Amino acid sequence: MTDSRPAPPSASGFELAGGALCLDFANTLEHRLGGGRESLRSYSDLLAFGVQTGSLAAADAEGLARRARRRPGPAAGALDRAIAAREDLYRIFSALASGARPAPAELRGLNRALPAALARLRLVADGERIGWTWSGPADAFDRPLWPVLRSAAELLTSDDRERVRECDSRTCSWLFLDCSRNRSRRWCDMKTCGNRAKARRHYRRRRGLRGAG
């Protein structure tokens, strides 16, 4: 019998091409238009995303993983809420990328989740600097989602929301911030989706030339 309990989180494994934490989180379902490939298959994956993006300290992730092994039900519930939030975020930012307004239902979902997350923000002094930190009980299984929700709220209320794009690939649909000078970026990653698109165009041109001969 396989052991389905949460394992210690890994600090790598996600491709972070979004340019914003909330967009990287929306991209954890890969190839949406080509059948979909889920990257958040377990609560450990959610913790690993937080560690890799730097939004969750490794020590906090390890503590949550230990508590999740003792309380798998609440951890699974947190994963379900994270995936539901991810789908709201994808639909919101995909709409913006296409020049449309986000649907009220998705914004309501985000607004329902935000208060619990933002209520955990605290100001702390570190030497001469004052910054933000997160505060919550040790078994706050939603902890990895809090920075994602904050990132989404900040992006939605900034001018950068006009730079949100969706990959031009027929199967990818990853979201990203277009920081190019003339705002003409089409691909989440030129080395992957961009090169595949170039290869398809080259193949079609070659077939056309052969047909013409």
Side-chain angles (χ1 to χ4, degrees):
M1 184 174 65
T2 59
D3 185 354
S4 60
R5 296 176 302 173
S10 169
S12 62
F14 295 89
E15 291 186 40
L16 307 177
L21 178 63
C22 56
L23 301 184
D24 285 327
F25 190 70
N27 293 343
T28 56
L29 181 63
E30 303 179 48
H31 303 294
R32 286 176 180 270
L33 306 181
R37 187 169 67 215
E38 181 61 73
S39 297
L40 300 179
R41 297 178 297 273
S42 69
Y43 186 69
S44 290
D45 293 329
L46 182 61
L47 296 176
F49 176 85
V51 172
Q52 184 177 340
T53 57
S55 60
L56 181 66
D60 291 337
E62 290 167 2
L64 285 168
R66 288 193 301 271
R67 292 173 179 86
R69 288 193 287 271
R70 295 195 295 267
R71 302 179 61 202
L79 177 62
D80 289 342
R81 288 188 293 276
I83 289 175
R86 179 192 67 190
E87 296 308 294
D88 282 341
L89 294 180
Y90 170 75
R91 288 187 285 266
I92 288 169
F93 287 111
S94 179
L96 288 175
S98 68
R101 289 186 177 183
E106 278 82 50
L107 287 176
R108 282 197 298 270
L110 179 56
N111 278 324
R112 282 195 299 268
L114 269 173
L118 298 184
R120 300 297 183 181
L121 272 175
R122 300 289 185 272
L123 288 169
V124 293
D126 182 10
E128 296 182 355
R129 299 180 60 187
I130 296 177
W132 291 108
T133 190
W134 297 98
S135 174
D139 60 351
F141 292 113
D142 288 313
R143 167 69 177 81
L145 184 60
W146 298 343
V148 172
L149 297 174
R150 182 189 177 197
S151 168
E154 290 177 343
L155 180 54
L156 285 169
T157 55
S158 76
D159 291 340
D160 282 343
R161 68 181 179 276
E162 298 177 2
R163 293 182 176 269
V164 176
R165 302 286 184 270
E166 190 162 352
C167 185
D168 220 12
S169 166
R170 292 178 296 180
T171 60
C172 176
S173 77
W174 267 9
L175 298 163
F176 61 90
L177 283 181
D178 180 5
C179 296
S180 63
R181 182 172 299 178
N182 58 359
R183 302 194 183 188
S184 60
R185 181 177 161 191
R186 298 176 58 194
W187 318 105
C188 63
D189 191 333
M190 189 62 205
K191 292 181 292 186
T192 53
C193 289
N195 279 342
R196 282 196 291 268
K198 287 173 62 178
R200 284 194 297 268
R201 290 196 299 269
H202 179 69
Y203 174 71
R204 286 196 294 267
R205 283 197 299 269
R206 289 180 62 87
R207 285 192 63 184
L209 288 172
R210 287 199 297 268

